[in-house]
Structure formats: structure tokens, C-alpha cells
Amino acid sequence: MTFLGMPLLPSTRRDRPTIPGGQGNIVEDESFAEVSHQHLSNQQLRNNIGHATSTIREKRADVVAELDDWEELREAGSRAKNHVMENLPEYLAEFEANFTAAGGVIHWARDADEANAIVTELAEANAPVLDSGRREVIKVKSMATQEIGLNEHLETQGIDAFETDLAELIVQLGDDKPSHILVPAIHRNRDEIRDIFEEKMPDAGDLTNDPTELAEAARRHLRHKFLTTKVAVSGANFGIADTGSLGVVESEGNGRMCLTLPETLITVMGIEKLLPSFDDLEVFLQLLPRSSTGERMNPYTSFWTGSTPGDGPQNVHLVLLDNGRTRALADEHGRTALNCIRCSACMNVCPVYERTGGHAYGSTYPGPIGAILSPLMTGVEAEENGSLPYASSLCGACYDVCPVKIDIPSILVHLRNEDAEANHSPVSSQLDTALTGASWMMSEGKRMATAESGLPIAHAVTGGEQINSLPGIAGAWTSSRDIPALPEKSFRQLWAEDEARAEEEDDES
Amino acid sequence: MKIALFATCIVDAMYPEVAQATVTILRRLGHEIVFPSGQTCCGQMHINSGKFAQAEPVIAAHARAFSDTDWDVAVAPAASCVASLGHQQPMVARRMGNDALAAEAADIAGQTYELSQLLTDVLGITDAAADLGSYFPHRVTYHPSCHGMRLLRLGDRQSDLLRSVEGIDYVDLPLADACCGFGGTFSVKNPEVSSAMLADKIRTVHSTGAEVCTGGDASCLLHMGGGLSRFQRTGSFEGTPDVTAVHVRQTSSTDVGDDNVDHLTAVVGADDDDHLTPGEKGTSPAEPSRIQSGFRVGQSAVHLARILASTKEDPLRVQSEGATVSGGSLR
Ligand code: SF4
């Protein structure tokens, strides 16, 4: 039994840097501001995303409103997850024992490299070499394998991984990256999808942009793979500790085919996905589909427990992945981010995500959850993470909508503090300098009063006019916004003058 | 009751008239107002920028100022700052290892109300016209700030008060719960995303045909007012993608009403004429049109305290004769 260096809880800040961060595709190296700049001017992308998120948003709001105990459900979901995180070593041990007893094999992976090596070895042992000289595996959507860059790794090892989820397929065929955790091709519209299919599916023929026709083309393309491929790689939404079961919820049925048809099934799951028992699903199977697709129930819910002779895959493996999760867990202010059930509700309501799309976050996990999860897992010391916690106006919509009540805005502020303390640039920016000055001024009412006594001069200098353009960082503001004319006096001054006048009047009478 | 006013830094330095309006309303109800002179800011600017160490002395200044003065309840015309007092100050003080300050800050926060909270929950005001004499015969739309909505859970308190103002023509703002994109330093760190959010917000404000967009947070109004002003001045947000021309909504001249025309053609505040340059600025498609032709323009952001303080005897006047109001604030 291995516990991947599970830290004692709670940790102190000093311990944290010694806990290894994750690696792989969790983060890329361009800052949010840089990448969002490109995406903001892509009108097609903004239209696609704006349309999709507002549609899902409304659907979700409708089905959530149907339940009068939604808040209690959220509370229950949050409590169950917190409980698992507090007792993760015990639940992992219980799960391992039960999974193994049912005929499965557990592999522990500290990071992306270890996980990729394990899957490669299993695929080499179980997937035959084809005429092309390469091996093939089919995949059902798994964020964990995205995170570790499994497809890219397998490719270098002579193994082709075929995505079977429709949206993942679109992304894969388009040589693209997912931009949403639930709707990975949210940034594509029908015309773009038709073009990708026509180009990349040799047998597809001429297609229109009709969704049914597009789905049918994908179905024909995939059917053959399902029936001939020997090895499947899946993710998992839940691991059930007291039975050792794994579960996947999905909409298209491709998951069920992957989970039942191949001889070997390799699942890659983050260690945080455990639930104590089947009973907990009562809560989560209500929270998840309503939050993610706005459906009362997802079309396919598959659970499997080890292997059964003559039924389904005979060779069942599970890679339990850390890759920075224990690091996040050790962060007492941020650890609830691990409660995330990847429903994507937070990105569908996020005004920043809506305008930049998922790619701007440069992270496998985009949107509000990505802005906290990626830095928590890889460490805010990793400089490329520094911009993610600032990719939010802290409007709070994500917290309101999260089915497991992750207080994303507070964690963002916490991570900004971590970033500020990590002090990446020795030369402080104009904003930092301004904030330092403001802190000094605002630490005493008298200093602020002195500063405000400059208002009449400022008022005179600006001619009592509004300000339309300023240099430096203030220019970022005035690029699209005016600043109102400054008042001649601050309220503090006006108040003091009134008081003095009232006193005089009192004296006179 | 002895009510301590927390003006907040933005109101104190940029919108003194909002603090004055707050004082006016509360005095009208017969309360005594005190202004703790050591006050500065809630610390939110530093906290949300991750500068906890720099925020601590600001939080301490607030605690000192409000502990040194004697009062029953405190009030601020700013949901965001009130939320910061309760949700952030104690957290940051604890993180800085200053438990005494955390307790003191929590104590003060527990007694500090946002203006509409104080009016409804503590003072029992439900009808602004009857209880405060509020009179504002204009078409008004209302933006609920994110922090008022989600951190303070103000619900309908602000909009109900507005609706009960005599003469008001209240129009709902489409997608009202969308963030305006200010977010403090977010608007400086990610100016493009912020501007894109603002552009969408301005578009919805324009679509209501309201003369005034109001709300309870000077910071959001600073942002929205800045955007409204820029848009009306130039017809676009420079550097902001996807801002299509906004067409001024035409309403029938009958619903302007003679009474309103009077106010609309009057000027804001007697000494403010020089801020207004009728007909001089702007070549935009959204350039405010003549009242006579029955056009109305969403043109200005005004804090709700000023609307509540406006009476028949001393009305806050909205000027609209072919001019944008300077700086987006009725000053
Ligand atoms: S953070 Fe919450 S809302 Fe966002 S994906 Fe995770 S569970 Fe869903």
C-alpha cells in the first residue's frame, strides 16, 4: 500500500513547497492576459461560447429551480467531499482493498510521468501490433489523461489513442485542445465541425452542417473502433470506497461501449474522486447532471466492480493519480478545490470565461475552477500560474452555482496573496507601487486627508473636466472608460467645514 | 439613533455628494450622524490584490477610527465595502496573525450596514416617497452590484426602495446580474476582458432607454459611468472588440411628460453648468438627441442614495438637452 506521501493535516505553509507539484498539461506557459488578448478579438469564438454558455446556463437554472432542497443537496455534497478529504488515506486504503478483492489491479502514480509509463506498459502488454506497425487504444473522455498528456505520450511510444466522445473527437481531429471540461468543443460551431469531419474522416463523404448528420458520421467512424480495439482507457467520475467500484456518467453511450467491449480496461482517476459508499451517489447523481448539462439525469450511468468471468473486460486496471493533489490538499485555504466534481457550472456562469474561452487559461482545467486548481496543484511558485488567480472580477457567480460549494472567489484571493508573497518580479510594477503608496496613505485618516487636500489643485489642473486619457497603468483604464471630473473637495473636507460652521453658529447663539 | 457614516474611499475622494445624500436621508429620519475622522478605506483594494500585509494597517485604521467613536450602528453607501468588512477584514487579520484585530474588525462589521439594509432592516423604511419624501420623475434602470447581490444578499431591498420613489419610471435592466467588469484592480490587470464586460453592460443599459442607471456601489457606477461617458462621447470603446453601434431607443414623446421635460432641460445642480457642454461633444451614433423629438438616452450613472435624497423641494435634476453629463456622474 502506498500513500503517495500523503501529508499530515493541517499543514503549515512552510511544509508546502516540499510537497511535489503536478506536471503535464496542467498549465502552459503563457500568461492569461497574453492569451486572452488573442481570444477576445476572435468574434466567432466569442459568439460560439456566449451562445453555448447562455443556453446551458438557462437550462441549469430551470432544472435546479425544480428542486426545493437544492441548497441542502449542495450542503450534503460539500460535507461528503470535505469528509473524504479529511480521511483520504483511510478511504484510499479501503478502496484499494476492495478493488483488488474484486479482481482489479491498482497502480499508484505520483505524477504524470509515472502514470504515462504505467499506461504505456499496460497497453504494450495488451494491445496487439497492427499492420501499420502501431498499436491502438480507444478512450472515453478523461480529464485526468488530458492533465497528464497521455495521448501525446502514447503517440511517441507507437500507440494511437482514439477519442470516442463526440466533442473530444472533434477536438482531436481538429488538432485542437479542449476549451471546456464538459463541452470540450464549445468553441466550435457546426460549420467548423463539418469542415473538420470532411477533412479528417476519409469515409465521411460530403456532409451538411446538420447536427444529426454530423453525429451519424462520427458514429459510423467510431463503431468499427469499438468492435475491434482490445484496450480502452477511461476516466472515472466516482470511486466507491466500500465496494471498490468505479463509475462513469456520460451522455452518448460511447463510454459504455468502451467500458464493456474491450478485453482490457485501464482507468486513470485522481485520488480525490472517492466517495465512502454507494449511498452517497444519491446526492451526487442529482447534483452533477443538473449542474453540468442542465438535465435531471444523465443518459448513461455505468458502474463496474473489478472483473467478472465471461462478462466485460477481463483485465481491469486502475491508475490512482496524485500529480499535485496532495499538494493542493495540504493547502488549508485552498484544499476544498479538490471537492470539484467537474460539472463545469462555474465556467458556464463566469463572465470572464464567457469572453475569453477556455484556451486563455492555458490549463487543462479552465474557467474559475482552473484558475484555482491549476495553481494549487502545481504551486503558485510556478511562474506561469501567477496570472491565473487574477483572471476573475471576483463577481462570485461561480461560488453561487457550484454544487459542492467551493468558495472560488476566496481561494482566488488566497492565491493572489501567495503570488504576491512569491514576489516574482523584483522590480515592482506601477500597480504595485501605487498600492504601496495607497496602503501608506490609507493607514491613517490624517494622511488621507492630506492627500485629499490636493483635490482643489487636481480639480483646477483638469479644468473641472472629466479625464479621458492617462499615461501608464491608468491608461489601461482610460483605454475604454472616462474618469469623472474630480470634485473640488472631499467629503471629509466638506464635513469638517460644516462642523466648523455649526460650531460657530452655536457660539454666536 | 447615533449613526456612524463610513464614507468609503471612493465616495470620500470622488463622489462626496453620495455621502452628503446619505447624511441627508438619515437626518431627515431624525438620526444623528457622526463621521469618524480617522477612517480611510475598507482595505478591499489591497486584499483583492493579494497584498495582505499592506491591507493590515488599513484594516487597523478602520478599526481604530470606529472604535474611538461612539455610535449605535454604522452605515456605508457601498455594498462591496460593507461586504469586505465582514467577509475579508477578519480573514486577513487572522492570516496576519493578528487575532485581536480580527475580533475587533468582526465586531465593527457586525454593526455596519449597507444603506438599503439599514433603511429596510433597521429603520423599517418600505416606502421612500412616504417616509423620505423621495421624488425623482425620471426613467431609471438599476444595476445590482455583484457583492450586494451575492455577498450581502441584498435581494430586492434596493430596487424596492427605488420603485417606491414618487414619479420614478423604473425599468428593469436586462441581464442585470451580470458583472459590470470592474473588479477593482481586475480592470487594470485584465483591461481588455474588463472592457468587453463593460461594453455588454452599457449595451443593456442603453436598451432600456433610461436616463439614469443607478445602483448602490460607487465603484461599479464609476466603471459604468466611465463607460457610458466614453461611449456617448466617441461612439465606441477604443480597443474593445465587438462593440456594435448602440441605437438610441425611441420612446413616444407622451411618456416623457411635460413635468419631466422641465427637469430634463434643467441643469444638474446650480453650480455645475460648466461641466456640461451641450451639443459640443460627440459625433457618435448614440449622441443624445433632443428631448423634443422624444428620444431618451441612457446617459448617466447615479448612486441610489442621491435618488432617495431627491425631493420636490430640492430635486436632483437630470439634464439631457443634447449633452452628455460630464464624467458619467450627475455632479
Ligand atoms: S468548481 Fe464547482 S462548479 Fe466548477 S466544475 Fe467544480 S464542481 Fe462544478
Side-chain angles (χ1 to χ4, degrees):
Chain A
M1 201 159 60
T2 326
F3 281 145
L4 309 165
M6 186 69 60
L8 295 171
L9 298 176
S11 82
T12 64
R13 178 175 296 190
R14 251 171 297 112
D15 295 337
R16 223 170 314 127
T18 65
I19 301 168
Q23 25 137 293
N25 283 341
I26 303 181
V27 276
E28 287 154 23
D29 49 10
E30 264 177 295
S31 79
F32 178 81
E34 282 164 39
V35 196
S36 64
H37 169 75
Q38 302 153 20
H39 294 297
L40 271 170
S41 47
N42 183 341
Q43 191 56 49
Q44 178 71 59
L45 174 119
R46 280 181 66 192
N47 287 350
N48 295 351
I49 293 182
H51 178 71
T53 53
S54 63
T55 310
I56 310 177
R57 205 154 57 207
E58 280 163 30
K59 265 179 83 185
R60 179 210 158 268
D62 286 348
V63 295
V64 160
E66 290 173 357
L67 299 180
D68 49 17
D69 63 345
W70 182 252
E71 286 310 314
E72 284 90 341
L73 278 171
R74 286 178 80 210
E75 186 55 42
S78 159
R79 225 179 310 117
K81 277 291 189 180
N82 285 339
H83 170 78
V84 170
M85 296 314 153
E86 278 158 25
N87 302 282
L88 195 51
E90 289 77 15
Y91 281 121
L92 281 168
E94 186 185 353
F95 178 83
E96 178 175 42
N98 292 326
F99 188 84
T100 310
V105 182
I106 295 248
H107 309 262
W108 298 84
R110 238 179 299 258
D111 57 23
D113 287 347
E114 284 189 12
N116 284 331
I118 294 164
V119 178
T120 306
E121 204 176 299
L122 289 169
E124 281 171 348
N126 296 287
V129 178
L130 305 176
D131 295 344
S132 60
R134 296 180 67 85
R135 299 174 207 268
E136 286 186 356
V137 300
I138 48 173
K139 281 187 68 201
V140 52
K141 194 175 139 189
S142 154
M143 306 270 343
T145 62
Q146 280 290 343
E147 174 191 318
I148 61 177
L150 180 68
N151 291 9
E152 295 82 356
H153 175 80
L154 289 178
E155 200 182 329
T156 65
Q157 305 299 304
I159 303 166
D160 296 318
F162 292 94
E163 296 290 351
T164 65
D165 175 276
L166 179 56
E168 290 279 350
L169 179 71
I170 295 165
V171 168
Q172 189 177 38
L173 293 178
D175 287 325
D176 198 357
K177 287 194 170 158
S179 65
H180 190 280
I181 64 178
L182 192 88
V183 199
I186 195 169
H187 56 293
R188 297 288 200 181
N189 69 13
R190 297 187 214 170
D191 292 334
E192 293 173 290
I193 294 168
R194 180 204 48 216
D195 295 346
I196 293 171
F197 278 12
E198 283 188 343
E199 191 190 332
K200 296 291 174 61
M201 282 181 194
D203 44 354
D206 282 346
L207 297 170
T208 68
N209 69 0
D210 174 31
T212 326
E213 195 181 318
L214 293 173
E216 185 54 32
R219 195 186 171 89
R220 279 197 309 270
H221 175 77
L222 289 171
R223 186 55 51 115
H224 178 69
K225 293 278 177 231
F226 286 130
L227 293 170
T228 55
T229 313
K230 303 284 179 223
V231 176
V233 177
S234 88
N237 292 91
F238 305 105
I240 308 293
D242 71 352
T243 58
S245 311
L246 291 172
V248 163
V249 296
E250 39 126 10
S251 300
E252 296 166 17
N254 62 304
R256 181 156 294 179
M257 299 224 213
C258 282
L259 299 167
T260 51
L261 294 173
E263 289 165 8
T264 300
L265 174 60
I266 308 163
T267 303
V268 182
M269 178 178 86
I271 52 171
E272 83 283 15
K273 295 265 170 182
L274 291 188
L275 292 178
S277 80
F278 253 89
D279 294 346
D280 295 297
L281 291 171
E282 181 216 326
V283 169
F284 288 95
L285 290 184
Q286 292 188 72
L287 289 175
L288 182 54
R290 283 179 202 257
S291 302
S292 48
T293 48
E295 291 168 306
R296 297 181 186 86
M297 189 75 233
N298 50 288
Y300 294 87
T301 304
S302 308
F303 277 85
W304 67 101
T305 310
S307 62
T308 308
D311 183 18
Q314 297 299 295
N315 209 352
V316 176
H317 294 264
L318 172 65
V319 182
L320 271 170
L321 179 70
D322 181 338
N323 207 35
R325 285 164 176 76
T326 51
R327 188 181 212 291
L329 189 62
D331 187 320
E332 59 176 318
H333 304 291
R335 68 167 61 122
T336 51
L338 290 179
N339 293 2
C340 176
I341 56 173
R342 311 280 190 266
C343 72
S344 77
C346 57
M347 48 207 80
N348 295 335
V349 297
C350 177
V352 174
Y353 178 93
E354 185 176 341
R355 285 162 183 93
T356 63
H359 290 157
Y361 295 78
S363 149
T364 294
Y365 304 101
I369 182 64
I372 58 172
L373 197 57
S374 303
L376 284 166
M377 282 170 41
T378 55
V380 84
E381 294 82 359
E383 206 158 328
E384 60 273 21
N385 277 328
S387 67
L388 282 178
Y390 301 96
S392 165
S393 66
L394 302 180
C395 79
C398 50
Y399 183 19
D400 259 11
V401 87
C402 178
V404 285
K405 295 178 88 164
I406 301 172
D407 183 356
I408 296 175
S410 293
I411 301 178
L412 285 165
V413 169
H414 152 70
L415 288 166
R416 289 177 187 187
N417 176 238
E418 296 265 295
D419 177 62
E421 287 185 3
N423 196 13
H424 289 136
S425 55
V427 189
S428 56
S429 69
Q430 285 182 56
L431 182 59
D432 287 344
T433 312
L435 284 170
T436 306
S439 168
W440 180 84
M441 176 185 84
M442 289 172 168
S443 302
E444 294 248 13
K446 281 201 199 87
R447 290 180 194 161
M448 182 134 162
T450 309
E452 286 168 350
S453 64
L455 275 173
I457 300 169
H459 183 85
V461 168
T462 53
E465 287 284 347
Q466 65 179 17
I467 301 152
N468 303 328
S469 119
L470 284 173
I473 46 159
W477 174 279
T478 54
S479 67
S480 68
R481 294 152 283 213
D482 291 334
I483 294 175
L486 294 168
E488 275 180 272
K489 286 172 183 175
S490 68
F491 176 73
R492 191 186 309 267
Q493 283 167 280
L494 294 169
W495 177 270
E497 289 170 11
D498 277 354
E499 295 272 280
R501 211 172 302 128
E503 245 169 60
E504 244 170 59
E505 278 166 20
D506 274 358
D507 289 351
E508 279 165 22
S509 60
Chain B
M1 206 174 333
K2 203 178 215 185
I3 302 174
L5 173 67
F6 173 35
T8 77
C9 65
I10 290 192
V11 167
D12 179 24
M14 297 196 74
Y15 297 104
E17 62 276 12
V18 172
Q20 288 175 314
T22 306
V23 173
T24 304
I25 296 165
L26 297 172
R27 282 198 179 141
R28 211 176 279 162
L29 291 167
H31 299 286
E32 184 194 344
I33 312 298
V34 292
F35 180 77
S37 64
Q39 65 176 279
T40 60
C41 167
C42 64
Q44 196 177 175
M45 179 165 67
H46 291 95
I47 297 169
N48 286 350
S49 304
K51 312 272 183 191
F52 290 1
Q54 292 183 349
E56 192 189 356
V58 181
I59 297 168
H62 187 81
R64 227 173 21 244
F66 282 78
S67 303
D68 287 354
T69 320
D70 180 39
W71 45 270
D72 301 312
V73 292
V75 68
S80 183
C81 310
V82 173
S84 177
L85 299 187
H87 288 258
Q88 298 189 314
Q89 285 200 352
M91 179 274 287
V92 170
R94 255 193 314 276
R95 288 279 285 279
M96 296 309 295
N98 195 340
D99 287 349
L101 179 59
E104 205 182 354
D107 222 37
I108 294 167
Q111 314 262 37
T112 307
Y113 296 84
E114 178 277 333
L115 179 60
S116 75
Q117 257 180 341
L118 180 78
L119 289 173
T120 30
D121 299 1
V122 182
L123 306 178
I125 306 300
T126 51
D127 188 331
D131 301 327
L132 303 169
S134 310
Y135 170 74
F136 193 68
H138 300 287
R139 175 172 285 204
V140 174
T141 194
Y142 158 77
H143 167 73
S145 70
C146 296
H147 291 175
M149 197 169 33
R150 303 204 180 88
L151 284 171
L152 292 189
R153 301 277 174 210
L154 290 181
D156 296 331
R157 287 178 181 82
Q158 294 182 335
S159 53
D160 283 351
L161 282 171
L162 283 165
R163 283 173 203 273
S164 68
V165 169
E166 189 180 346
I168 202 164
D169 174 10
Y170 182 99
V171 260
D172 282 321
L173 182 65
L175 304 172
D177 60 356
C179 177
C180 72
F182 175 56
T185 48
F186 170 75
S187 59
V188 177
K189 288 226 175 201
N190 286 291
E192 292 182 318
V193 190
S194 166
S195 299
M197 289 159 71
L198 177 62
D200 289 342
K201 182 56 80 177
I202 298 303
R203 203 178 291 125
T204 57
V205 171
H206 271 271
S207 78
T208 65
E211 301 149 62
V212 159
C213 176
T214 192
D217 267 289
S219 46
C220 308
L221 296 175
L222 169 76
H223 194 231
M224 292 167 62
L228 282 164
S229 159
R230 171 62 54 92
F231 195 81
Q232 289 174 108
R233 212 160 46 74
T234 66
S236 75
F237 297 103
E238 235 172 86
T240 308
D242 181 31
V243 180
T244 45
V246 171
H247 298 289
V248 179
R249 170 176 152 157
Q250 185 166 18
T251 56
S252 80
S253 50
T254 49
D255 75 22
V256 174
D258 287 349
D259 216 32
N260 292 0
V261 171
D262 260 324
H263 289 293
L264 290 165
T265 48
V267 177
V268 192
D271 56 353
D272 285 324
D273 300 38
D274 54 352
H275 291 180
L276 303 161
T277 46
E280 194 180 294
K281 286 180 176 175
T283 50
S284 85
E287 178 171 5
S289 311
R290 308 276 150 173
I291 284 299
Q292 288 87 325
S293 66
F295 280 99
R296 282 176 168 187
V297 175
Q299 66 169 183
S300 195
V302 179
H303 194 283
L304 67 84
R306 304 196 67 205
I307 293 178
L308 295 178
S310 171
T311 58
K312 279 190 178 140
E313 294 68 42
D314 185 17
L316 171 68
R317 291 177 190 274
V318 176
Q319 197 278 350
S320 193
E321 178 67 20
T324 47
V325 174
S326 182
S329 130
L330 285 181
R331 173 160 288 148

